[in-house]
Structure formats: structure tokens, C-alpha cells
Amino acid sequence: IINNYVDGTQGGARDKASPSGLHFRDSKRKVDYVLAYHYRRRLARHAPSAGSPEPTRGSASAAPVSNGSTGKGRAEPWQQQQQDDGQRAMWEWPELPGPEAVELSPLDALEEERRLQREEYEHNLLEAGLEIEKDPENKIQGLSFVRIHAPWQVLSREAELLKIKMPTKKMYEITEEKGILKTLNEIWCKLTEPLQPQVPQQENTKMKTLSYPFSREKIYLYNIQDKDTFFDNATRSRIVREILKRTPTKARNSMGIGTLIANNVYDAAYPLHDGEYEGQNDDMNERKLLYQEWARYGVFYKFQPIDLIRKYFGEKIGLYFAWLGLYTEFLIPSSVVGIIVFLYGCITIESDIPSKEMCDQRNAFTMCPLCDKFCDYWNLSSACATARASHLFDNPATVFFSIFMALWATMFLEQWKRLQMRLSYFWDLTGLEEEEEHPRPEYETKLLQKKLKKKNITTENSNEVRSSGSGHMDEKEKLTWSDRMPGYAANFGLILFMIMLTFSAVFGVIVYRITTAAALSFSTNETTRSNVRVTVTATAVILNLVVVLILDEIYGAVAKWLTEIEIPKTEKTFEERLVLKAFLLKFVNSYASIFYVAFFKGRFVGRPGRYVYVFESYRMEECAPGGCLMELCIQLSIIMLGKQLIQNNLFEIGIPKLKKLLRKLKDERTELKEMDTNQSKDPQQWDLDYILEPFTGLTPEYMEMIIQFGFVTLFVASFPLAPLFALLNNIIEVRLDAKKFVTELRRPDTVREKDIGIWYNILSGIGKLSVIINAFVIAVTSDFIPRLVYQYAYSQNGTMHGFINHTLSYFNVSQLKAGTQPENSLFAQEVSFCRFKDYREPPWSPHQYEFSKQYWAVLSARLAFVILFQNLVMFLSVLVDWMIPDIPKDISEQIKKEKTVLVDFFLKEEHEKLKLIESFITHDKRKRRSGSKSKRARAASFSQCHRSPKGSCTSFSSQHTVV
């Protein structure tokens, strides 16, 4: 490999950079990948005996640029340069013998070690066939870039190793749907034409190119018009990334770029964006196209260009946006049904008999005091507004909506499986094998520590083991469960602690509500006392939201740290374990307070004369007279909207911009005093991309949507408008994520995935859990079951008249404990009996204040409803799952057809190749008979045929072709 050296002191080194910022200085070779690092040139202190000036460091004044030529006979210049570098290292490294001794500070020694590691790593990359261009290090300290280009030989070799599917010459027709489905599809396409993004489409959508894993032996199968453009930018960067991952360095036994970045040898490694996304120039690139047609809020009404997203960012990110798009589309029908259910509640509010009875002041239900001593008796009619508002969400339509949403979740998951299969077919992901992943740097470091420790022990015990050494041990050594046991123990303990911390936070908010309600009840202001419940509920929900947001951020960091101390071997294992931990902690954090309001609040209050107290003086809080469902609705809506607006949107917009600004200021401050005359005025693409935020994975994006999916499905019986708010959020979320990926983040490495992985299992689990939770919300939290029981078992005329009186029990006020009676009661009439909401025997019963028969009848009905509802909905879900096939019929037929077409194409190409070879053998024989001297040259130039021992002819380009 020949390397040219450009002297960094020569003017115009940077001016020769390509105008586009996407190529080497020759403006021909693409920059497929960039490595960035900060360097610091030392000012060495000479030893007293040194009389000659210190030699300058080579890498500070020279930048190697590979010209891409290969060959055994051309390696001398690189080897000579390596010898020169080694000579310079001898002059600068204090431990090596040299003509001059130089003292190095610890910081300089570390920098020197990193420089040597970089030189060795880059040398290994050159040996792997890559071509490198470096910036001259002509400052005291600064940022430098290593640009990498993969030539055709490397791309074709790696594509074959990675089994990357590439388009062949063959195209075949896609079988279209017939009959009414075809007509409906054509009508739909015409109606949605204005909503389609203006991106280049395939000329003939009825034809599909046949793809096949790349093979150099079958090079004749592929449609290679230009070797420079046959592999697109995403594929090229993916190939280079694989080489970077597996290229080792001897220093510290590091394997790949991940370890070097972890050890701060390099700062970053990333592929380049395809130019700027906005600007005056008319050059259109895929990034600019994505920005104009996808990543702007002005195009929120358009469909997503999923194929272009997949082409630019890779299959993994393409699947995420396809899933997000389908989820958002599915929220439209659920939002419409939710609005209808809400409007039904608004329309029927005037005809709701229980609400009328509660608001009728003639009924005069005198209620027991809400607190001891300072609270007076009160009329139930004063809670009229709460009762009317509760009917908006607590009506028979919510039962239907719960069943609908359970089936909606099942249909959404089934439709996603179908869409996923369709995308897999068109993106050539069918039959995709899982690639062998490289170990994570942290795993390698831990393994190296274990090996060194084991080697030291064996060295002390036996010289024999020392000599045979680490050869076999390196291959078979791995971390066992005993190595990971401290990490597992820490995981178990800390996750348990975090869950208890969440429960403690919920209990803290409960105590706040109880104490604040008691404190406001002491107020002399009449308005304050009359609005105690509203004030306490509103402030407690906001406080709860703040706690949830703070704990969410803490739990995200804790989950990551816990996963790191487990030391997973691969990135995929790391991601799956991180997802499970983060989801568990954030699920508990987001829903703990909602579970409390739905199932526990008001259940452990006690009764007048025997209340349950907290801290011996504060009574446990009760539900409002209209029930806890209204409060559950408020709690759910505030937390859901607060998380979406603050956490999902403001944090996503603000934090990346802030980090980008800080990184830019840091680099500017570092290089402020370094006036580089050779610096080009216009920054190159690698400079612009370095300022951007590094891509850290899709886990945060999926997580916020999964938590939202929980809000939409788990407690939808109490808040029918949840799908509508989720839809409005997601319309913004799609464009927000798109803008972040296109403008705020470095270009991610393309990853081929055929599904969304563990997220599908979590979605499926939430869907099944939602059936159970909604059954209990309807049965336990709402008044749906008590109303049914009263209407069909206790009502005299089969109507709801008398329901409120039926649900209220009597209490003799003379039996109140001393010191708990209201002081200075201003109630208009003398009170002998007060009412409280419960099913208990009256004071004149022999079993006074014990649970009545009605209580047990309602409880039995509630349990029966839960069982019936759960089994009915589960049965319908299984039925929907069975009726909708996972693989669309047309796709399964196309996959079978593709296999047949592939076999026919192979046979045809092999047959034509064989005929061509035979014709030239015949031609060769004729020439031999005629005594032509140029026989061998002509045969070799066309077919490169040679005679095998058995007389068969085998091509060098495909030696397997012996038919």
C-alpha cells in the first residue's frame, strides 16, 4: 500500500479539501467514515546532558494519505515510514534507548501512548485494505480527523462476508390484487395522492428487482453499472464500521474502535451525512429531501417516506418510524370512538337520574363530617358539580369503549405483524440471519482483567503453564455467572430499592393530601374551606407529576448503570436488559399513583366512629361523593399530558440543542488562541457532523411511546379522550423525531433488523394487562356494577330512582368519639343521624354498622363481571388474532414466487455461461489446429479458462461452475 505524505507546514493543505466535504482531496474517493480525536503536542523538557534540539514529532507535521494502490511490491514506502515513525518514537519515548533523553510528564506520556495506539490502529486499517486521509496536526492542541475510504475490493469482500443482499439483473412482476380490493386500492391511492411525500419513486411499481447475497464468484449476476455507486452510502459505512469493530491493536489488547473510544484514544467515529439539509445551493441530496418532505412541521399531514428513511438511516430506524406511523394511524379511529363516548356522556347528563337526585336539594341528605372537630355536617347536594362531571366518564358507554380498546390493541399488533412482514419482503429482509456481534469494550476489559489475574496465579504455581501461556485460554475464556454475581446482586437490591422509593413517593403525596386537607379545613375563610377538595387534588397531581418526571430521569440513568455492571457480552444483549430494567422502573413510576387512586383510595377509610388514622391524628382520605373515577381521570390526564409536553417534547428539543451549543463553545474555546492560517473558511462536512449529538439508540424513543400506549389502553375506561391526546402528541412527535434525526444527530450506523425485537413482547403484555385492569376499573372504581345491581335486584319499578339513598348508610351521631364531634356547628337543623357512602347495617339493626346483604351482592356481581369481561374480551382477541393472518396472502405468494424466479435465473445464467465457455473452447481448438500463436492470450483475456486434470474447463472467476 503506497502512502503519500503531505507536509503539514505547506500552505493550502486544507484548501485542497473537496468542495462538497464528502470526498478525499482528490474529489474522487468518497469519505465512508470519519474518526475524530483531540491531540496535544507536548513541549518536551530536555535532560541536562542534551545538547541538540529535540526532533519534532512526525505526526504533528505530516498527514498520511493513502492513494489506494495495492500490491506486494509497493509496500516499501509504508514500511519505511513505519521505521521512521519507530525511530521518532525512540527519540520521544523515555523508556526506549535513543540518542537523547527526554523527560515526559504523566499527561504527555498518556498522550504519547494514545498517539502510538492511533498509528498502530490506522496501520492495521491500511493492511485491511482501507484508504486513509489525515489532517495535519499543526497546532499545539486541537481536533483532528481521520477520513476513511473503502475501495471496491474491500467492499465486495466484506459484502460477501456479511451476506448483504444486492440487486441482480433480474426483475420480476409483482402479482397485484384483483377484484374489489384492487378497485378500493386505486380509489384510496387517488384520494391520498396529495398526502404523499414528493420523493423519487420506482419508475415501475409493478416490478421488483431480485436480490441475492453478494458473491464475488457470481459477480455476473448483479446489475453493476458503476462500481462507485453500486453500494450506497449506508451500505458502505456499514461495511467500514464492521472492519473498524474487528480491527485490533496490541496496546492493552483492545479489539476494535469501541474499545479505543472507551479509552479516549479517539473521541468519536461516525459516517457522514449526505451534505447540508438547508442552504442556498441547488444540489439536492437525500438528507435535504428528507428534511423538506419529512422533518418539517409544515408537512405534518403527509405520509412518511419510509423507503427513503430506511435507505438513509437503515432498517432498524426505518422499522421504528414505520411502527410509529402505524400506531399514529390506528389512534385516529380510537380517538373518534373516544370522542363519541365523551359526547354521549355530555348528551345524557341531563337524563341521568342519580345525578339529578344528588343535585336535588329537596332530598336533603345530611352527610357526616369530612374531618374531626373542625368539619361540619354538610348536604350531599353541595357536591352536585362533581356528580355531573363524573357522569361524563362513568356511563354505560365506557364499558363498550373498554371492550373496543382491548380489541383495538389486538388488531394494532396483528396489523403491525403484517406490515412488518410486508416491509421485510420489499426491504429484502426475509431469511435474514442474525449476524455474530462483536463483544462490548467493557466485556473485553473485564475478561482481560480476569485473564491477567488467572495468568498471575498460574505463573506463581507453575512455570509450565506460563510457557504454554494464554493461547488456548484467550479463545475459550469467558465470564461465568460467578463473575457476574456481584452485578446481579446489585441489580436485585437496587431495583427493589427503586420500586420502594416510588411507593414512598406516592405515600408522601398521600400524606401531603391528608395534611393539606386537614390544614385547609381549619381555615376561617369560607371560600378556602369550600374548595378544599379541588385545591388538594390539583396541587397533589402537579406535585405527583414533578416527582414522576424527576424519578424518570433518575431511573433512566440507574437502569443504564445497573446494566453496565452486569457486563453483557454484546450490544444486543445490553439493549434488551436495559430495556427491561428501564421499562420496569418507569412503568412503576408512571402508574403507581394512578393505581392508588383507582384501586386503593377510599377502600381503607373505616366508618364514622371507627375511622382509620395516619400518624394517629389524620384520617385516611375518602373518594369524592361521585366516586373516585373523576379523580382518576384528572390524575391520568395531568400525568399523561405533562409527560408528553414536558418530557417528550421540551426535553427532546432543548437538551440536544443545549449539548450541541456546549460542544461547539468548548471546541471554539480550545482553539481560540490557535489562529490557523491554513484553515478553510467553510467548515467541511466532518466538522459540521462532529458538532452534532451522537446517536445513542432508539430505546428512549420507543420507551416514551410504550408508556403512552399504556396510558391509552390500561385505564381507558376512566379517560376516553386519552387516544385523542395521544394522537395530537404523536402528530408532533413524528416530525420532532424526524427533525432530530435529520438535523440534530450524527448519522447513525445502519443496522439490519427484521423486527422491533423485545418491544413487541412488551406491547403484547400491556395489551393483555389492559383487559384485566379495565375490568377492575369498571367493576371496582366506577358505579356501573352497583347501578346494575340496584336496577335489577332492589329497584321497585326497575328504574334508577332511589339509587343514591340505597348507597348511603346511616350513623347515629351520638356514637361519635369524644373530641371528634363538630365544634360550633352552623348546620341549620339539629342532626341525629348522618349519612356516609357504604353498604352497612343501620344503627337500629341488631348487627349495627356491619356489612349489609347489599354489600355482598354488589361484591359478588363485581367479581362475576371481572371474570365475564376478561374471558369475553380475551376470547374476542384470540378470535381476531386467528382471523387475521400474520403474513399477508399476497406477500407469502410473492416470497414463493421469488424463490422460483431465483432458481430459474441461476440456471439460465449458468447455462449461458457454460455455452459461452464451450464456444470459446471450440474456437480455441480451431485456432490450435491452425497454429495460431495468440491462442492463449485470447482465451485468457475473455474467459480465463484452464484445463483441469480431467479435461474439464473451469473459470477462475467461478471455479464452482462444472456442469
Side-chain angles (χ1 to χ4, degrees):
I1 300 169
I2 295 180
N3 294 276
N4 302 325
Y5 281 78
V6 180
D7 190 352
T9 58
Q10 294 175 358
R14 282 291 292 251
D15 294 333
K16 293 180 183 177
S18 66
S20 66
L22 299 172
H23 293 80
F24 279 12
R25 292 193 182 99
D26 58 11
S27 297
K28 294 178 181 178
R29 289 174 289 172
K30 285 183 180 178
V31 177
D32 296 320
Y33 223 86
V34 173
L35 306 179
Y37 64 92
H38 278 90
Y39 65 89
R40 177 177 175 274
R41 289 172 63 187
R42 64 181 177 81
L43 299 174
R45 299 185 302 274
H46 297 282
S49 61
S52 60
E54 180 203 358
T56 57
R57 193 174 74 190
S59 62
S61 62
V65 184
S66 165
N67 68 0
S69 302
T70 58
K72 292 182 180 178
R74 295 185 173 183
E76 291 84 354
W78 166 250
Q79 292 169 354
Q80 181 62 42
Q81 184 60 36
Q82 284 294 301
Q83 292 169 7
D84 294 343
D85 287 344
Q87 189 66 30
R88 278 195 296 271
M90 287 177 65
W91 279 88
E92 294 183 347
W93 194 252
E95 294 179 10
L96 297 176
E100 184 178 5
V102 178
E103 295 178 8
L104 290 178
S105 67
L107 192 62
D108 286 335
L110 181 62
E111 179 62 31
E112 189 70 15
E113 184 185 353
R114 289 173 181 169
R115 183 183 70 81
L116 292 173
Q117 284 188 60
R118 283 195 294 269
E119 287 182 357
E120 183 193 356
Y121 185 68
E122 288 158 19
H123 171 48
N124 291 341
L125 291 180
L126 289 168
E127 287 189 335
L130 297 176
E131 298 171 11
I132 288 177
E133 180 180 76
K134 289 185 71 173
D135 286 337
E137 298 177 5
N138 49 11
K139 301 179 186 177
I140 294 174
Q141 61 178 1
L143 178 66
S144 188
F145 296 95
V146 178
R147 295 173 287 282
I148 301 171
H149 168 77
W152 169 258
Q153 292 87 349
V154 174
L155 292 172
S156 56
R157 180 191 73 210
E158 296 297 323
E160 185 173 351
L161 289 173
L162 296 172
K163 299 179 181 177
I164 297 175
K165 284 189 174 182
M166 299 304 295
T168 62
K169 298 174 184 176
K170 178 68 177 177
M171 294 186 75
Y172 66 96
E173 188 176 0
I174 299 173
T175 308
E176 289 186 333
E177 296 173 339
K178 297 179 181 179
I180 191 168
L181 288 175
K182 183 180 179 181
T183 309
L184 290 173
N185 189 43
E186 287 176 353
I187 294 170
W188 174 252
C189 289
K190 286 182 181 179
L191 289 174
T192 58
E193 192 172 349
L195 306 179
Q196 298 295 338
Q198 301 299 314
V199 297
Q201 300 286 345
Q202 187 180 335
E203 293 179 3
N204 191 353
T205 55
K206 296 179 182 178
M207 303 295 290
K208 183 180 183 295
T209 305
L210 187 67
S211 295
Y212 185 73
F214 189 81
S215 171
R216 286 174 292 178
E217 291 185 344
K218 296 185 178 69
I219 196 78
Y220 55 88
L221 296 176
Y222 304 97
N223 187 21
I224 304 175
Q225 297 176 353
D226 184 357
K227 287 184 177 181
D228 291 335
T229 57
F230 180 64
F231 295 103
D232 60 20
N233 291 347
T235 307
R236 295 174 71 99
S237 64
R238 178 187 167 208
I239 288 171
V240 174
R241 179 73 181 186
E242 285 299 318
I243 298 173
L244 293 175
K245 279 182 178 179
R246 68 167 188 255
T247 302
T249 57
K250 293 178 183 176
R252 297 191 181 182
N253 292 333
S254 60
M255 172 61 79
I257 188 65
T259 311
L260 293 174
I261 292 175
N263 293 334
N264 296 317
V265 176
Y266 290 101
D267 289 345
Y270 52 91
L272 292 180
H273 278 292
D274 288 357
E276 296 187 49
Y277 61 89
E278 57 184 357
Q280 301 301 324
N281 57 340
D282 296 329
D283 296 336
M284 180 57 71
N285 57 62
E286 290 181 351
R287 187 187 187 193
K288 184 181 285 188
L289 192 60
L290 281 170
Y291 179 74
Q292 292 179 355
E293 295 296 325
W294 178 53
R296 293 188 299 115
Y297 295 113
V299 292
F300 72 91
Y301 59 92
K302 289 188 176 183
F303 291 118
Q304 298 184 90
I306 292 296
D307 289 326
L308 185 59
I309 296 167
R310 169 253 177 176
K311 183 183 176 186
Y312 192 80
F313 291 111
E315 284 77 8
K316 189 173 184 178
I317 293 173
L319 282 173
Y320 164 71
F321 281 104
W323 174 84
L324 182 58
L326 182 70
Y327 172 49
T328 305
E329 288 174 17
F330 257 72
L331 284 171
I332 296 172
S334 60
S335 300
V336 172
V337 177
I339 292 170
I340 293 170
V341 169
F342 179 73
L343 291 176
Y344 172 81
C346 295
I347 294 167
T348 58
I349 193 169
E350 296 299 331
S351 60
D352 183 48
I353 296 172
S355 299
K356 284 183 177 181
E357 287 188 352
M358 193 178 288
C359 295
D360 191 355
Q361 295 185 358
R362 293 173 298 178
N363 289 327
F365 295 113
T366 304
M367 306 298 291
C368 296
L370 293 173
C371 66
D372 294 345
K373 200 173 182 179
F374 294 98
C375 296
D376 202 353
Y377 303 105
W378 56 287
N379 266 324
L380 186 60
S381 57
S382 63
C384 174
T386 309
R388 290 170 68 86
S390 294
H391 179 72
L392 297 175
F393 305 100
D394 189 2
N395 57 68
T398 56
V399 180
F400 156 75
F401 191 53
S402 298
I403 298 172
F404 170 80
M405 286 304 292
L407 298 179
W408 171 89
T410 304
M411 290 189 69
F412 164 63
L413 293 176
E414 287 301 309
Q415 190 61 31
W416 167 245
K417 283 194 284 188
R418 290 168 63 82
L419 177 61
Q420 192 171 253
M421 198 63 214
R422 191 175 292 277
L423 291 175
S424 294
Y425 167 68
F426 283 105
W427 291 355
D428 298 316
L429 298 174
T430 51
L432 179 67
E433 298 176 6
E434 286 195 8
E435 298 170 6
E436 185 180 352
E437 288 195 76
H438 301 285
R440 298 176 64 249
E442 294 81 0
Y443 180 86
E444 286 185 330
T445 305
K446 186 75 176 176
L447 193 61
L448 180 63
Q449 291 172 357
K450 182 181 178 182
K451 289 175 185 175
L452 291 173
K453 187 178 177 182
K454 202 167 185 179
K455 190 175 180 182
N456 291 336
I457 294 170
T458 52
T459 303
E460 292 172 5
N461 294 339
S462 172
N463 291 331
E464 231 175 63
V465 177
R466 188 198 319 152
S467 60
S468 59
S470 58
H472 296 290
M473 186 169 60
D474 286 354
E475 294 175 9
K476 298 181 180 180
E477 195 73 51
K478 63 180 181 179
L479 297 183
T480 60
W481 67 270
S482 57
D483 298 317
R484 292 193 172 101
M485 185 51 69
Y488 291 150
N491 268 264
F492 178 77
L494 268 174
I495 288 175
L496 200 61
F497 171 76
M498 290 296 170
I499 292 173
M500 295 308 296
L501 179 64
T502 304
F503 292 155
S504 302
V506 173
F507 181 71
V509 174
I510 294 168
V511 171
Y512 164 80
R513 295 161 70 114
I514 293 169
T515 53
T516 307
L520 292 176
S521 300
F522 300 157
S523 174
T524 54
N525 190 326
E526 182 62 32
T527 308
T528 304
R529 281 184 297 176
S530 61
N531 294 317
V532 167
R533 195 181 294 276
V534 176
T535 307
V536 169
T537 301
T539 55
V541 168
I542 293 170
L543 178 64
N544 203 74
L545 173 62
V546 172
V547 171
V548 166
L549 292 177
I550 292 171
L551 289 181
D552 246 8
E553 297 303 314
I554 294 171
Y555 288 168
V558 169
K560 187 175 181 182
W561 180 74
L562 287 175
T563 311
E564 284 173 351
I565 64 174
E566 272 189 36
I567 324 167
K569 184 176 181 180
T570 62
E571 284 295 338
K572 186 174 183 180
T573 313
F574 179 86
E575 187 177 352
E576 287 180 351
R577 293 184 183 181
L578 174 62
V579 165
L580 285 175
K581 291 181 186 64
F583 174 72
L584 175 63
L585 292 172
K586 293 192 175 189
F587 181 88
V588 173
N589 183 42
S590 299
Y591 301 116
S593 58
I594 299 171
F595 268 92
Y596 164 73
V597 174
F599 303 123
F600 298 101
K601 186 178 178 182
R603 313 288 168 199
F604 310 102
V605 178
R607 60 170 179 81
R610 194 179 290 175
Y611 284 115
V612 177
Y613 289 89
V614 179
F615 305 129
E616 298 183 355
S617 55
Y618 298 105
R619 273 165 47 179
M620 283 294 289
E621 56 179 348
E622 302 178 43
C623 287
C628 274
L629 199 72
M630 186 63 198
E631 192 170 336
L632 176 61
C633 172
I634 295 169
Q635 185 94 2
L636 187 69
S637 58
I638 296 294
I639 291 179
M640 179 182 175
L641 294 175
K643 276 180 69 68
Q644 289 183 167
L645 289 174
I646 298 171
Q647 192 176 42
N648 296 1
N649 295 334
L650 292 181
F651 284 8
E652 277 195 33
I653 296 171
I655 290 176
K657 285 187 178 294
L658 186 63
K659 287 183 177 179
K660 180 181 174 182
L661 179 64
L662 290 174
R663 191 182 294 106
K664 192 174 181 180
L665 290 173
K666 180 185 175 183
D667 289 334
E668 285 177 357
R669 189 166 62 250
T670 304
E671 301 185 1
L672 187 62
K673 298 177 182 179
E674 302 286 334
M675 299 303 292
D676 185 3
T677 56
N678 298 328
Q679 180 74 28
S680 176
K681 290 181 180 179
D682 296 326
Q684 297 295 314
Q685 191 62 47
W686 47 84
D687 297 308
L688 297 172
D689 285 6
Y690 179 76
I691 298 169
L692 300 178
E693 183 73 10
F695 175 68
T696 55
L698 287 170
T699 300
E701 317 301 332
Y702 273 115
M703 187 65 71
E704 64 186 62
M705 288 296 105
I706 297 293
I707 295 294
Q708 186 203 82
F709 183 78
F711 282 121
V712 169
T713 55
L714 290 179
F715 295 93
V716 76
S718 64
F719 189 40
L721 295 179
L724 175 63
F725 288 118
L727 173 64
L728 296 175
N729 173 80
N730 284 11
I731 290 171
I732 301 169
E733 180 71 24
V734 171
R735 306 302 159 180
L736 181 65
D737 283 350
K739 190 171 184 181
K740 184 170 71 173
F741 273 87
V742 173
T743 67
E744 300 291 340
L745 296 179
R746 292 176 192 157
R747 188 171 184 173
D749 294 302
T750 56
V751 179
R752 288 176 72 82
E753 293 281 358
K754 57 184 178 181
D755 53 39
I756 59 173
I758 197 172
W759 297 109
Y760 180 83
N761 299 329
I762 292 174
L763 284 167
S764 181
I766 290 176
K768 290 178 173 61
L769 184 62
S770 68
V771 177
I772 301 168
I773 289 178
N774 280 307
F776 276 99
V777 168
I778 296 167
V780 177
T781 313
S782 76
D783 278 341
F784 178 72
I785 299 301
R787 291 185 184 196
L788 278 182
V789 171
Y790 174 78
Q791 186 173 358
Y792 294 106
Y794 295 101
S795 176
Q796 295 179 356
N797 52 7
T799 64
M800 292 302 295
H801 288 287
F803 173 71
I804 297 297
N805 186 51
H806 178 76
T807 59
L808 298 175
S809 299
Y810 286 91
F811 181 76
N812 190 341
V813 297
S814 62
Q815 295 177 344
L816 286 171
K817 287 184 178 180
T820 61
Q821 299 95 337
E823 287 185 350
N824 305 319
S825 176
L826 301 175
F827 208 66
Q829 57 198 24
E830 188 177 344
V831 178
S832 301
F833 297 97
C834 65
R835 310 292 293 273
F836 63 98
K837 190 171 183 179
D838 208 346
Y839 291 102
R840 291 184 181 268
E841 296 289 347
W844 51 83
S845 169
H847 308 286
Q848 58 176 257
Y849 307 133
E850 290 184 4
F851 288 119
S852 61
K853 291 179 181 178
Q854 290 92 327
Y855 171 83
W856 300 111
V858 170
L859 182 63
S860 302
R862 280 173 166 163
L863 294 175
F865 174 81
V866 168
I867 295 169
L868 180 65
F869 181 89
Q870 180 182 335
N871 284 282
L872 174 65
V873 175
M874 287 291 188
F875 169 75
L876 292 175
S877 299
V878 171
L879 186 64
V880 169
D881 191 355
W882 174 75
M883 289 176 64
I884 302 175
D886 292 348
I887 304 175
K889 188 178 179 181
D890 60 323
I891 295 298
S892 61
E893 289 176 356
Q894 295 296 341
I895 291 171
K896 292 174 185 176
K897 181 180 178 181
E898 190 176 74
K899 291 178 180 177
T900 308
V901 170
L902 186 65
V903 171
D904 293 342
F905 177 58
F906 272 6
L907 290 174
K908 183 181 177 183
E909 288 291 327
E910 294 289 340
H911 182 65
E912 289 182 358
K913 185 181 174 188
L914 184 62
K915 282 173 64 178
L916 189 64
I917 291 170
E918 287 177 347
S919 68
F920 275 92
I921 289 172
T922 308
H923 185 70
D924 189 38
K925 285 179 179 178
R926 287 175 185 169
K927 287 292 181 182
R928 189 186 300 168
R929 290 194 190 105
S930 63
S932 174
K933 295 181 181 180
S934 59
K935 166 189 65 176
R936 186 177 301 170
R938 282 198 301 272
S941 65
F942 200 95
S943 65
Q944 295 183 350
C945 278
H946 71 282
R947 287 280 176 182
S948 67
K950 295 182 180 179
S952 63
C953 184
T954 308
S955 169
F956 286 118
S957 63
S958 63
Q959 295 186 5
H960 67 288
T961 313
V962 181
V963 181

